[in-house]
Amino acid sequence: FEVGADDYITNPFDVQELRLPVRNALKRVSQGTLTNPVSGLPEGALVEERLSEVIHKSGWALLHICITHLDLFREAYGFVASDDVLRAISMMIHNTMKETGSAEDFIGHLSPTDFVIVVPPANLAPFQERIRSRLEQSLDYFYPIKDREQASKRPDRLAVQIAEVPSVYGRFSSVEQLKKDILNKF
């Protein structure tokens, strides 16, 4: 269990004894993960639950942050470097939220490269300004020193796109409709 086992059975075993651990393992797999394995931020059901609250309650605005060209970065520098980029950007977003927001603010993944941030409308502009500045200043530093100058001139370099959805309440009938609207901003 210390190294990650979920269950075990002893030998000899009965087929009936095997069914329960297998059924439990299949149930866990079908439920999916609740957090992104790289960033540790909520994804899937947790994000959908929060978005469901947002479309049924006034007083919230959304910000969509998308990391573009991360797939090309991964091809050039490998998945470890790509995961480091995702982890660092997640941390920057999280730290900015802690500085400008409240305890009820939320950050999660819509996809591995798409983040959704839920904040009160009054906090949207200050958060957006601060996070845009931080992310744009840091993107070139993810490239190795030997490639930075050349990468900064390429149209397919790492970039961040940010779009706001200032009012959500009453505009969407479902979380799927909201997610589709958010993801179609770019």
Side-chain angles (χ1 to χ4, degrees), residues 53 60 69 75-76 78-81 84 103 108 110 139 143 150 153 156 177 182:
E53 292 172 12
W60 294 104
H69 306 300
E75 287 176 22
F79 72 91
V80 172
D84 287 345
L110 292 174
L139 289 175
Y143 289 92
Q150 185 182 23
K153 297 173 186 173
D156 62 350
Q177 185 185 24
I182 292 170

Side-chain angles (χ1 to χ4, degrees), residues 60-121:
W60 294 104
L62 301 180
L63 196 65
H64 173 209
I65 300 175
C66 178
I67 307 168
T68 58
H69 306 300
L70 188 61
D71 54 340
L72 298 173
F73 183 90
R74 181 181 299 112
E75 287 176 22
Y77 301 104
F79 72 91
V80 172
S82 172
D83 286 355
D84 287 345
V85 169
L86 185 60
R87 200 173 294 109
I89 289 175
S90 299
M91 252 196 278
M92 282 187 255
I93 296 170
H94 187 263
N95 289 340
T96 303
M97 181 177 282
K98 283 175 28 180
E99 294 167 9
T100 63
S102 69
E104 293 185 7
D105 294 351
F106 178 84
I107 176 175
H109 283 277
L110 292 174
S111 77
T113 58
D114 290 277
F115 299 89
V116 63
I117 290 86
V118 179
V119 295

Side-chain angles (χ1 to χ4, degrees), residues 126-169:
F127 178 84
Q128 182 175 354
E129 184 180 313
R130 187 173 277 178
I131 195 61
R132 181 183 302 278
S133 172
R134 283 186 181 175
L135 292 174
E136 287 176 354
Q137 290 174 10
S138 64
L139 289 175
D140 287 339
Y141 293 101
F142 293 121
Y143 289 92
I145 293 172
K146 65 180 176 63
D147 295 343
R148 277 188 199 149
E149 187 176 330
Q150 185 182 23
S152 67
K153 297 173 186 173
R154 293 176 51 178
D156 62 350
R157 76 179 190 92
L158 280 176
V160 174
Q161 294 180 316
I162 300 176
E164 59 181 71
V165 184
S167 76
V168 179
Y169 178 66

